[in-house]
Every structure is written in C-alpha cells, then in structure tokens.
Amino acid sequence: MKQTRILLAAGALSLALAATAGIGIAADDAGEARSQAMKTMGGSMKAIKDTIGAGGPAADIVAPAQKIAEIAATIPSLFPEGSDAPDDEAKAEIWQNWDDFSAKAKALGDEATLLASAAQGGDMATVGAQFDKVGGSCGACHKAYRAKP
Ligand code: HEC
C-alpha cells in the first residue's frame, strides 16, 4: 500500500514535469517560428533595398513585397499568449496592448501591399518612397514591442 502511494506520487511528479516541459517547448516553437518569419522579412527587405540601389528593375520587387505582406498577415498568430520566453526580444507589452500590436502588423501588411502595387506600376521613385513606409512599419512595431530594436 505504501509502495503504491509512492509510485502514484512519482507518477504525478513526472506528469507535472512533462507539463512544464511541454509549455517550454511550445514557447520555444513559437519563438523559433517568429524568428524565422522575421528573418525572412529581413531578407525580403534587403533584396528590395538592393534592387532599389541598383535602380531597378521594379518588377523584381513585386515578389518580395508580396512575401512581406503574406508574413505580416500571420504575425499575430506567431505571438500566442504565453509564448513570452525570458531570452527572447518580445516585450510583455505585446499581450497587454494586443489590439495595437495587431494593428501594427496590419499596417505593415497594408504598406507592403502598396509597395507590391507600386512595383507593378514600375515607377522607381514611387517604389522608393513606399519602401521607406514599409521600413517605417517594421520600425514602429520594433520600437514599441521589441526589446532590442
Ligand atoms: C507587429 C510587430 C512587428 C512588425 C510589424 C515587425 N516586427 Fe520584427 N519583430 C517583432 C518582435 C516583437 C520581435 C522580437 C521577437 C522575439 O524575440 O521573439 C521582432 C524581431 C525581428 C527580427 C529578429 C529575429 C531574430 O530572431 O533574430 C528581425 C530580423 C525582424 N524582426 C525584422 C522585421 C522586419 C524586416 C520587419 C518589416 C518588414 C518587421 N520585423 C516587422 C515585431 C514586429
């Protein structure tokens, strides 16, 4: 009888440990997914910047701009509640100001979609001006919600 109780206690303890580890893994996965998404957007921004620096062609900017718009639409889902890890750069304010955070993600999507349209239009001056607005949208969110902007 006593032995059964010890076994039960041991079982409960390992369940508790497994649950804790599970939360840790979920947070790590979320951190990894958003890190990948943000890095992909960084790569798209660099590709666009290089094309602008080379004076075109504007058509090359359409796909990376659309990629940014596509990822921007997923940003809120990359920050599930409880996914704040001590070693990441996501500030706790994200979840306190969720509507504002989501609005900043949407603003990026809107600006990136406008950039894709501008690139389709082909005028590099318009593309350059719209690119600055996309960069501004990255910065606006990082300033408010990223620990090391
Ligand atoms: C709605 C908010 C928001 C927008 C918009 C946003 N970011 Fe981020 N970004 C974050 C947050 C928050 C982090 C920190 C995430 C973490 O550490 O878990 C981050 C991190 C990053 C990182 C570091 C990733 C890593 O793990 O090394 C890069 C690069 C990055 N963002 C690029 C961009 C670019 C480029 C844009 C615009 C095209 C952009 N971000 C737009 C919120 C945003």
Side-chain angles (χ1 to χ4, degrees):
M1 198 56 183
K2 197 174 177 196
Q3 207 175 356
T4 315
R5 222 176 294 147
I6 290 167
L7 278 175
L8 278 176
L13 181 65
S14 57
L15 269 182
L17 285 174
T20 314
I23 290 165
I25 289 162
D28 283 357
D29 282 353
E32 185 53 35
R34 64 191 175 227
S35 172
Q36 280 309 320
M38 291 289 168
K39 283 178 186 163
T40 301
M41 290 200 297
S44 301
M45 287 297 279
K46 186 178 180 310
I48 295 168
K49 191 169 180 247
D50 289 351
T51 304
I52 290 173
D60 286 4
I61 292 172
V62 176
Q66 283 171 342
K67 186 81 203 163
I68 293 170
E70 206 177 282
I71 292 177
T74 71
I75 291 178
S77 71
L78 296 170
F79 289 85
E81 188 111 34
S83 66
D84 193 7
D87 60 343
D88 73 11
E89 299 175 359
K91 286 195 189 172
E93 282 84 348
I94 291 171
W95 294 278
Q96 288 154 14
N97 304 321
W98 184 251
D99 289 350
D100 181 59
F101 180 78
S102 304
K104 285 182 162 54
K106 188 178 180 307
L108 172 63
D110 290 348
E111 298 294 5
T113 300
L114 287 173
L115 177 58
S117 306
Q120 273 156 350
D123 176 47
M124 286 307 290
T126 311
V127 167
Q130 188 56 33
F131 176 70
D132 290 346
K133 290 191 181 171
V134 173
S137 300
C138 310
C141 188
H142 289 169
K143 196 159 177 273
Y145 299 114
R146 186 179 172 194
K148 284 172 262 172

